[in-house]
Amino acid sequence: MHDIVDLRSDTLTLPTPEMREAMARAEVGDDVWEEDPTVQRLEALAAQRMGQAAGLFVASGTMGNLVSVVSHTRGGDEVVLDLDSHIFNYEVGGSAVIGGVQMRPVTTARGFLTAEQVREALRPANIHLPRTGLVCLENTHNRHGGTCCTPEEIAAVTEAAHGAGVPVHLDGARLFNAAVALDRPAADFTRAVDSVTFCVSKGLGAPVGSVVCGAREFIGRARRVRKMVGGGMRQAGVLAAAGIVALERMVDRLAEDHANARRLAGALARRPGLHVDLATVQTNIVIVRVERPDAAAATQALVRGCAERKVKVHAMGPAAIRCVTHKDVDQEDIDRAVDAFGELTARW
Ligand SMILES: Cc1ncc(COP(=O)(O)O)c(C=O)c1O
């Protein structure tokens, strides 16, 4: 049990004592000179887990996606992706600014493009049209509430894109949550794609960082773009050391976060005025919709009321609240959160 139950995001996780110990002892060098042995160890481990040839340690998921998009495309290209995707919505338009690409957002049923939708969105060769330069996928899907797509769905989309010579990037910020939820090796989701970014800084608990993985030649290009955007870090092994602990020790326990999310979702779904689509609670994210005539005000009141009860949740839009489970929230904390929502909706 913790003093404050913080369900706003899994990015709030604190490094474990083992991570701090590894960080203190990390053997380091200048990583821009490719002389940091700990960064190299993390990159090799990440590449192996992803079934890819090489890895590149970056400062954040946003930077990983940015360097991937820019490395795959050239100015004026079009990037096909889901309308609710993180890259389209929450990365400050960076790919447009730095890469000069145009986004082609597609409305999807569950946040996942189908092979059919990709085929429809691909641009034919025509002097008037932009060139389709990249297809991006996201797994698990943040805005859709941590939903997972299967390795087979990813393979089908990749086959459609590759059929037209278009590469595929996977925003796998929470890929290990999908792997644990579907009980499949992470590499099953990533072997077929041309690049993947995953974060060690979210549910895996490391303080900083993501890793981009792909073919050796692609990672060479990504390394240049990382330098261009100021992401060439020096003795970054201090950070990578925590990432190694995250990969080696923190993956299997994600199942606990998923069980806690289901416990929370099941209880909140029974409250009057709250709706949770339980089918979407596949990993560590619970989206609670407030269904009342005064939904916007009621949502704000719930967020405030929870905070007064030392339970922090995140308002996601005018009538929805997002709760994310993670290693620093245990089952008792979940029960405290359920009690807080219970008190606040008792007279609804
Ligand atoms: C799906 C997804 N992609 C990318 C990111 C960006 O990661 P970062 O916050 O490390 O930049 C996030 C962050 O929440 C995310 O949920």
Side-chain angles (χ1 to χ4, degrees):
M1 191 161 111
H2 301 82
D3 180 36
I4 291 179
V5 183
D6 203 334
L7 293 165
R8 289 172 299 166
S9 176
D10 50 9
T11 57
L12 293 145
T13 44
L14 299 177
T16 63
E18 193 181 356
M19 286 176 185
R20 289 182 184 272
E21 181 71 24
M23 292 171 80
R25 290 176 184 279
E27 200 189 330
V28 295
D30 188 328
D31 184 49
V32 173
W33 291 57
E34 298 187 40
E35 288 178 8
D36 189 303
T38 308
V39 170
Q40 288 173 356
R41 235 167 18 97
L42 172 62
E43 291 174 344
L45 180 62
Q48 182 241 324
R49 295 286 163 93
M50 296 293 116
Q52 295 281 352
L56 182 72
F57 186 48
V58 292
S60 64
T62 301
M63 184 182 281
N65 287 332
L66 175 65
V67 302
S68 297
V69 173
V70 173
S71 301
H72 281 302
T73 56
R74 46 184 202 234
D77 278 2
E78 190 165 75
V79 176
V80 179
L81 77 187
D82 164 59
L83 178 69
D84 287 322
S85 61
H86 198 277
I87 294 178
F88 182 58
N89 289 284
Y90 301 122
E91 300 188 3
V92 208
S95 300
V97 177
I98 310 284
V101 295
Q102 159 169 304
M103 293 292 168
R104 172 84 176 267
V106 175
T107 303
T108 66
R110 304 156 42 231
F112 306 118
L113 291 162
T114 63
E116 190 56 36
Q117 286 177 310
V118 168
R119 276 188 214 99
E120 277 170 18
L122 292 169
R123 300 283 194 170
N126 178 311
I127 193 171
H128 300 92
L129 304 177
R131 194 184 75 119
T132 306
L134 182 67
V135 172
C136 292
L137 302 174
E138 181 174 319
N139 198 22
T140 66
H141 199 292
N142 183 339
R143 261 178 83 89
H144 279 258
T147 44
C148 312
C149 67
T150 65
E152 290 69 30
E153 288 173 290
I154 293 174
V157 165
T158 304
E159 198 185 320
H162 286 177
V166 175
V168 175
H169 171 69
L170 174 61
D171 174 0
R174 296 184 180 80
L175 182 74
F176 285 100
N177 291 88
V180 167
L182 300 185
D183 196 19
R184 302 279 297 265
D188 282 8
F189 298 82
T190 55
R191 227 177 259 118
V193 299
D194 301 275
S195 58
V196 54
T197 301
F198 72 85
C199 300
V200 290
S201 59
K202 298 196 163 67
L204 300 184
V208 177
S210 295
V211 189
V212 179
C213 296
R216 220 165 269 291
E217 187 271 337
F218 167 80
I219 291 297
R221 276 184 281 142
R223 191 178 292 280
R224 283 182 63 78
V225 179
R226 183 187 69 173
K227 189 75 181 78
M228 182 173 72
V229 298
M233 297 183 283
R234 301 295 176 175
Q235 285 72 38
V238 169
L239 301 173
I244 292 171
V245 176
L247 273 181
E248 289 184 336
R249 298 257 188 274
M250 305 298 285
V251 172
D252 293 343
R253 62 149 311 285
L254 292 173
E256 285 172 41
D257 302 341
H258 301 172
N260 280 336
R262 285 194 299 273
R263 186 181 179 92
L264 179 67
L268 297 189
R270 289 192 288 276
R271 300 304 309 168
L274 301 183
H275 177 262
V276 182
D277 180 353
L278 295 176
T280 65
V281 186
Q282 292 181 274
T283 57
N284 66 330
I285 303 179
V286 179
I287 295 182
V288 185
R289 303 209 179 272
V290 179
E291 295 188 339
R292 286 171 57 93
D294 62 342
T299 302
Q300 291 307 319
L302 272 178
V303 172
R304 253 195 332 270
C306 281
E308 283 159 13
R309 289 162 177 78
K310 294 193 172 186
V311 175
K312 293 187 179 179
V313 294
H314 176 63
M316 185 182 158
I321 291 173
R322 190 184 74 165
C323 302
V324 186
T325 58
H326 51 76
K327 76 170 188 63
D328 296 333
V329 172
D330 60 26
Q331 199 176 300
E332 278 179 67
D333 295 332
I334 293 297
D335 294 340
R336 278 171 60 206
V338 170
D339 289 346
F341 275 97
E343 282 173 31
L344 293 161
T345 57
R347 266 176 251 108
W348 278 22

